[in-house]
Amino acid sequence: QVQLVESGGGLVQPGGSLRLSCAASGIIFSINTMGWYRQAPGKQREMVAISGGIPNYADSVKGRFTISRDNAKNTVYLQMNSLKPEDTAVYYCYVGTPFRSYWGQGIQVTVSS
């Protein structure tokens, strides 16, 4: 049974930091990419950061967010600094294999004073 367990979301003030984690288990295929997407109310889901080699970031988070992976633990992290209200969204963990992709259930990040 495939599980993607996300943690680390919550409420933070503007300028604050959060660290998201996503631990994947039960995936029998080799993992090519791991990353994060987000979806704000009324908007489409968008890529935030992907790690499949050289990390790729959305322009809106470059210089503020950092993605990292622990391949031994099949875990991906997203360090989010200098958070802004426009970063408020549900963040989804993504895992890509040669045969299919997997999504986490989503975790809420709210940036508000």
Side-chain angles (χ1 to χ4, degrees), residues 1-50:
Q1 181 181 357
V2 174
Q3 284 189 313
L4 272 63
V5 179
E6 298 151 327
S7 61
L11 173 64
V12 64
Q13 292 186 343
S17 298
L18 285 174
R19 188 188 192 217
L20 303 182
S21 299
C22 173
S25 62
I27 298 176
I28 62 173
F29 308 120
S30 60
I31 293 175
N32 289 345
T33 57
M34 300 185 80
W36 296 91
Y37 285 68
R38 69 186 180 187
Q39 187 166 17
K43 295 187 177 181
Q44 290 188 332
R45 190 175 297 189
E46 61 174 358
M47 185 274 291
V48 177
I50 289 287

Side-chain angles (χ1 to χ4, degrees), residues 20-100:
L20 303 182
S21 299
C22 173
S25 62
I27 298 176
I28 62 173
F29 308 120
S30 60
I31 293 175
N32 289 345
T33 57
M34 300 185 80
W36 296 91
Y37 285 68
R38 69 186 180 187
Q39 187 166 17
K43 295 187 177 181
Q44 290 188 332
R45 190 175 297 189
E46 61 174 358
M47 185 274 291
V48 177
I50 289 287
S51 176
I54 298 175
N56 187 29
Y57 296 93
D59 288 342
S60 60
V61 307
K62 284 181 180 176
R64 301 188 296 122
F65 291 10
T66 303
I67 190 171
S68 60
R69 287 171 63 172
D70 184 336
N71 291 327
K73 296 181 179 180
N74 282 347
T75 299
V76 62
Y77 306 94
L78 185 67
Q79 178 66 44
M80 305 185 293
N81 298 328
S82 302
L83 282 160
K84 304 175 181 180
E86 50 264 43
D87 294 318
T88 295
V90 177
Y91 284 69
Y92 295 90
C93 175
Y94 168 87
V95 173
T97 76
F99 302 102
R100 61 162 293 177

